[in-house]
Amino acid sequence: LPLDVADAVALAFNGRTAPLDLLRVTAAGREEIALVMAGLGADAAVLADTREPLKRLIGAGAYLFAGMRHVRARPVHTSIAVDGAPPVWGYTSLVGIGNVGELRPGVALMPEADAADGRLDVVAASPRHARDVLRMMAGTLVGSRREPGLDRYRGARVEVTTASPVPCHVDGDILGEVTSLTVEVLPAALRVARTVTRER
């Protein structure tokens, strides 16, 4: 939003608008509405460990610094079911379900995610060694779309189940540890004003 009050009001009443999807997230017996993404595993742990002073100091690199504490995170037996299809089972250390691909500017977990396409983007990381985790983290920081050990899915509803509790976040807010997460897209739930048309 413009910082100028008059421009902000003009944007709200006269700006051109565009649709924006929202996410309905169910985890730990709670239902949340989110805008950006929900995630299980290492990304939630990294978000929990990333310190605000360090983010202000070194920006996106703070996530890499926090992620170093989780390079040896043990993958958990996980199932992912998209749009009611039979679940895909595997061992993952991270499952991210997104509407917007960036954790923050410059840190794109899902580079091709579109917040207005009525679809969810899903990424599941299945590293075998600590060096795989480091490579995936580096690829995320540079916006790589293809990394070994990363599986990607798309759909309108995603159900994730884990064999043991793992950390969970919704839009960066930590919910605690859970064993299931369901995310459903709410297409065009919002309309967002984009440009100011007020004449000076």
Side-chain angles (χ1 to χ4, degrees):
L1 289 173
L3 296 179
D4 179 80
V5 173
D7 283 345
V9 171
L11 176 63
F13 285 96
N14 303 312
R16 289 188 301 222
T17 63
L20 187 68
D21 302 337
L22 289 178
L23 311 178
R24 179 184 287 121
V25 182
T26 304
R30 297 166 52 183
E31 184 177 286
E32 305 277 347
I33 299 297
L35 175 63
V36 180
M37 71 175 64
L40 293 173
D43 66 330
V46 169
L47 285 169
D49 285 351
T50 303
R51 304 297 177 229
E52 288 297 328
L54 193 60
K55 286 196 284 187
R56 289 193 293 270
L57 182 65
I58 64 174
Y63 293 96
L64 184 60
F65 184 83
M68 295 295 290
R69 305 174 196 170
H70 301 280
V71 295
R72 296 188 182 279
R74 178 173 296 178
V76 175
H77 200 208
T78 304
S79 76
I80 301 173
V82 180
D83 291 342
V88 176
W89 286 89
Y91 284 87
T92 68
S93 61
L94 174 157
V95 179
I97 304 167
N99 188 38
V100 178
E102 291 188 328
L103 296 173
R104 57 162 289 153
V107 185
L109 187 60
M110 289 163 278
E112 297 181 355
D114 182 340
D117 64 356
R119 308 285 280 177
L120 300 169
D121 282 69
V122 184
V123 59
S126 305
R128 292 176 298 174
H129 308 287
R131 64 176 178 271
D132 294 337
V133 178
L134 292 173
R135 187 179 63 248
M136 291 175 186
M137 290 166 54
T140 296
L141 289 175
V142 301
S144 173
R145 286 169 169 76
R146 295 183 181 276
E147 286 291 338
L150 288 183
D151 294 312
R152 299 184 184 275
Y153 309 91
R154 302 196 79 220
R157 179 183 172 88
V158 180
E159 299 172 83
V160 184
T161 303
T162 60
S164 58
V166 293
C168 174
H169 80 91
V170 177
D171 277 356
D173 293 329
I174 307 303
L175 298 187
E177 294 195 338
V178 304
T179 56
S180 66
L181 174 69
T182 300
V183 183
E184 180 182 2
V185 70
L186 303 175
L190 293 179
R191 294 198 66 83
V192 179
R194 295 292 180 90
T195 59
V196 177
T197 58
R198 180 176 68 90
E199 293 184 2
R200 292 189 178 276

